[in-house]
Amino acid sequence: GQNIDQPTEMTATEGAIVQINCTYQTSGFNGLFWYQQHAGEAPTFLSYNVLDGLEEKGRFSSFLSRSKGYSYLLLKELQMKDSASYLCAVRDRRQLTFGSGTQLTVLP
Amino acid sequence: GAVVSQHPSWVICKSGTSVKIECRSLDFQATTMFWYRQFPKQSLMLMATSNEGSKATYEQGVEKDKFLINHASLTLSTLTVTSAHPEDSSFYICSARGGTGGSSYEQYFGPGTRLTVT
């Protein structure tokens, strides 16, 4: 089975940087994903890490340490539209399992 | 990019009736499709995984006779909620993976179907 932990809520200010952490325990790790989900909508893909290190994609970066079972999503230059739930998801050989999500609120 | 559609986007039905939700991969062939359910303020919970032409694999606690999944082609999967009850009211989301035209590792999500059972 899999166990995925991430903070329930975070608040940050527009223009700031925020880091959302995710820890996981899994048998048969096959990649870690970050998704963004706005209320009432389906998740949208943000990033994918399968090897250790940092993946950068514009304002968003994601880091993975497989030995520590740890990942983080870094959001820079926060905008109001970044207010959403951020889901960490871990894939094993068979399926993708989602964490409970971190609700990020960006304040003006 | 790869696009997945779902129909209907929302549906209201009476208790005891059945509802069918369609999931289509529009510009790629999906070898595997997944059905998730999401209750308010909760994360996505995988209900079942289906591969084209074979029976779906259901997660523990999901009744296969109540949630019928058919993956008849590489571009279409359907979820039928049979004898729906108010507790089945939820946001149902499908995703698709694999095949040509889509990344082999990424799952592409449909826009979701909001089901309300009265």
Side-chain angles (χ1 to χ4, degrees):
Chain A
Q2 299 192 38
N3 189 27
I4 302 172
D5 286 313
Q6 52 181 131
T8 306
E9 296 177 324
M10 296 185 74
T11 303
T13 306
E14 193 175 15
I17 299 173
V18 71
Q19 177 175 312
I20 303 174
N21 296 324
C22 172
T23 58
Y24 65 90
Q25 295 170 311
T26 185
S27 51
F29 178 81
N30 201 18
L32 187 142
F33 296 76
W34 283 96
Y35 288 87
Q36 180 191 62
Q37 186 179 27
H38 286 99
E41 299 180 12
T44 54
F45 171 80
L46 291 178
S47 69
Y48 169 67
N49 295 70
V50 67
L51 299 176
D52 291 350
L54 188 68
E55 294 282 341
E56 297 186 78
K57 232 182 182 184
R59 293 190 299 116
F60 293 10
S61 304
S62 58
F63 172 83
L64 175 67
S65 169
R66 287 172 297 169
S67 61
K68 295 181 180 176
Y70 168 69
S71 173
Y72 68 72
L73 178 69
L74 193 71
L75 294 79
K76 302 176 187 175
E77 301 169 18
L78 280 174
Q79 301 174 8
M80 299 297 290
K81 67 178 183 179
D82 296 330
S83 292
S85 182
Y86 291 85
L87 307 173
C88 172
V90 175
R91 197 165 110 189
D92 61 18
R93 293 183 192 88
R94 190 170 74 85
Q95 69 184 55
L96 189 64
T97 302
F98 285 83
S100 55
T102 299
Q103 184 63 45
L104 174 66
T105 302
V106 180
L107 302 174
Chain B
V3 178
V4 175
S5 71
Q6 272 184 249
H7 177 80
S9 55
W10 59 271
V11 58
I12 302 173
C13 70
K14 291 189 175 179
S15 189
T17 61
S18 295
V19 173
K20 180 186 281 190
I21 302 170
E22 290 187 351
C23 176
R24 293 181 186 272
S25 55
L26 298 185
D27 50 2
F28 69 104
Q29 294 182 325
T31 52
T32 307
M33 285 188 170
F34 305 85
W35 287 96
Y36 293 85
R37 181 168 52 183
Q38 186 177 34
F39 293 105
K41 300 197 174 182
Q42 295 185 25
S43 193
L44 282 76
M45 298 300 295
L46 180 66
M47 298 175 67
T49 303
S50 73
N51 293 296
E52 184 264 339
S54 60
K55 288 185 179 180
T57 302
Y58 289 81
E59 296 302 303
Q60 197 169 12
V62 177
E63 300 173 58
K64 60 178 72 173
D65 293 331
K66 180 169 180 63
F67 299 98
L68 303 178
I69 291 172
N70 186 299
H71 192 163
S73 76
L74 285 171
T75 59
L76 173 65
S77 176
T78 61
L79 167 68
T80 302
V81 183
T82 62
S83 186
H85 291 285
E87 57 265 29
D88 298 323
S89 298
S90 187
F91 193 44
Y92 291 86
I93 307 173
C94 75
S95 72
R97 186 182 78 200
T100 56
S103 165
S104 61
Y105 63 80
E106 186 176 338
Q107 282 182 216
Y108 301 93
F109 284 84
T113 297
R114 186 160 302 284
L115 170 64
T116 302
V117 185
T118 61

